[in-house]
């Protein structure tokens, strides 16, 4: 590859990264979220240093934006009274708003952007829930695998305010949504057709 061609590709890559940085920064400002630390530098410096630094991948940026959307969804939801209890008798602080992530978690550290936020005076807490897909595949008794999974994880799922169902669970959406019935849980997924299969936000 010639030096000129190499420079064109390098500049093109740098420009794409700068544009991605600008877009995510604007989204963060619009959603009233803190911009990731890597975006707090002047854009000119970002352009100069982009090749030598380790910019976030498209997937990392995608799930940071999705985490921001989940946070904003939560601000406009009316949960049933049992989910709204702001304080237990034995606690001195408000119960947290729990976001459950069920399956192989694609968010990595994306939720760090919202963990210092509050929803109606309540902190946000993230709970990772084991994948039913992996549980089912490892089960020696597949006929009773769902009942065993339910016995182990129903209480955890039932305590969630929000349940994000990951792509790894695409074959078991109906079964997993049945675990949320009657618990006042906002179900969210980025799976295609999730809302048509009974989810609340797709």
């Amino acid at each position: 590859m010639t030096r000129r061609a190499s420079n064109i590709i390098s500049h093109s890559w740098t420009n794409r990264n700068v544009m991605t940085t600008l877009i995510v920064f604007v989204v963060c400002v619009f959603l009233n979220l803190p911009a990731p630390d890597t975006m707090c530098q002047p854009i000119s410096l970002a352009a100069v240093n982009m090749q030598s630094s380790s910019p976030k991948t498209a997937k990392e940026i995608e799930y940071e934006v999705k985490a921001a959307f989940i946070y904003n969804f939560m601000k406009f939801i009316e949960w049933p009274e049992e989910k709204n209890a702001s304080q237990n008798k034995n606690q001195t602080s408000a119960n947290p708003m729990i976001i459950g992530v069920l399956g192989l978690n694609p968010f990595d550290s994306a939720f760090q952007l919202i963990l210092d936020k509050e929803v109606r005076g309540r902190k946000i807490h993230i709970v990772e829930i084991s994948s039913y897909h992996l549980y089912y595949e490892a089960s020696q008794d597949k006929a009773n695998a769902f009942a065993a999974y339910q016995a182990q994880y129903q209480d955890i799922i039932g305590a969630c305010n929000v349940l994000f169902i990951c792509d790894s669970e695409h074959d078991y959406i109906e079964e997993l949504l049945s675990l949320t019935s009657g618990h006042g849980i906002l179900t969210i997924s980025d799976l295609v057709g999730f809302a048509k299969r009974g989810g609340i936000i797709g």
Side-chain angles (χ1 to χ4, degrees):
M1 182 181 294
T2 67
R3 178 174 303 218
R4 182 172 182 276
S6 177
N7 287 340
I8 290 173
I9 291 173
S10 295
H11 288 308
S12 176
W13 174 251
T14 298
N15 290 337
R16 283 199 303 272
N17 277 278
V18 171
M19 286 305 298
T20 300
T21 301
L22 283 169
I23 290 168
V24 176
F25 181 78
V26 169
V27 169
C28 289
V29 170
F30 178 74
L31 298 178
N32 194 29
L33 288 172
D37 292 341
T38 55
M39 296 180 193
C40 295
Q41 305 170 8
I43 293 302
S44 58
L45 288 181
V48 170
N49 296 323
M50 192 64 70
Q51 289 172 274
S52 60
S53 64
S54 298
K56 293 185 177 182
T57 66
K59 182 177 180 181
E60 289 173 324
I61 294 172
E62 173 189 351
Y63 279 93
E64 285 183 353
V65 172
K66 287 179 179 178
F69 273 108
I70 290 172
Y71 165 69
N72 278 275
F73 292 149
M74 293 172 70
K75 294 193 294 185
F76 297 99
I77 297 296
E78 290 286 345
W79 275 275
E81 187 59 36
E82 63 270 18
K83 292 283 186 180
N84 287 329
S86 61
Q87 193 169 323
N88 282 341
K89 294 179 180 179
N90 298 327
Q91 292 180 319
T92 57
S93 59
N95 294 331
M97 300 287 279
I98 300 174
I99 300 174
V101 181
L102 196 161
L104 302 182
N105 188 353
F107 285 92
D108 194 24
S109 61
F111 281 116
Q112 291 298 322
L113 294 173
I114 66 170
L115 288 181
D116 63 340
K117 300 287 184 180
E118 292 186 355
V119 177
R120 301 181 186 183
R122 298 164 66 182
K123 295 289 187 181
I124 296 172
H125 183 63
I126 308 299
V127 174
E128 293 191 13
I129 303 170
S130 293
S131 169
Y132 176 64
H133 164 69
L134 296 180
Y135 189 97
Y136 178 83
E137 292 299 323
S139 177
Q140 300 298 315
D141 183 4
K142 295 195 186 319
N144 294 312
F146 181 75
Y149 184 87
Q150 181 177 21
Q152 186 163 353
Y153 295 105
Q154 178 68 82
D155 289 345
I156 298 172
I157 293 172
C160 293
N161 295 90
V162 175
L163 184 67
F164 185 93
I165 300 180
C166 303
D167 182 71
S168 60
E169 313 307 300
H170 60 87
D171 289 335
Y172 309 100
I173 295 300
E174 289 77 12
E175 293 95 320
L176 294 172
L177 287 176
S178 73
L179 299 178
T180 69
S181 180
H183 291 284
I185 300 170
L186 175 64
T187 55
I188 304 175
S189 181
D190 51 10
L191 282 165
V192 175
F194 179 69
K196 290 183 179 178
R197 296 173 68 181
I200 297 176
I201 297 178

